[in-house]
Amino acid sequence: ATAVSLCMDNHIPIIVFNLSDPDNIRKAILGQKIGTIITQGE
C-alpha cells in the first residue's frame, strides 16, 4: 500500500501484469505494451 501511495503522490505510473510468464518482466522493462497501466487521473 505504501508503494502505491508513493507512486500516486509522485505521478509514477504502475504496470500490473502476470508474473507467471517469465518473459513479462523483460517486456515490461523494455517498455513493450503488457498488462494494465494505472495512472492518476487529474
Side-chain angles (χ1 to χ4, degrees):
T2 302
V4 173
S5 293
L6 286 171
C7 287
M8 290 174 61
D9 290 346
N10 293 291
H11 306 284
I12 299 171
I14 301 168
I15 303 173
V16 180
F17 59 91
N18 183 357
L19 286 172
S20 297
D21 184 346
D23 287 335
N24 283 349
I25 295 174
R26 180 183 58 80
K27 290 176 183 177
I29 291 171
L30 293 174
Q32 295 178 5
K33 291 185 179 181
I34 183 171
T36 302
I37 299 176
I38 301 171
T39 59
Q40 184 177 11
E42 307 231 1

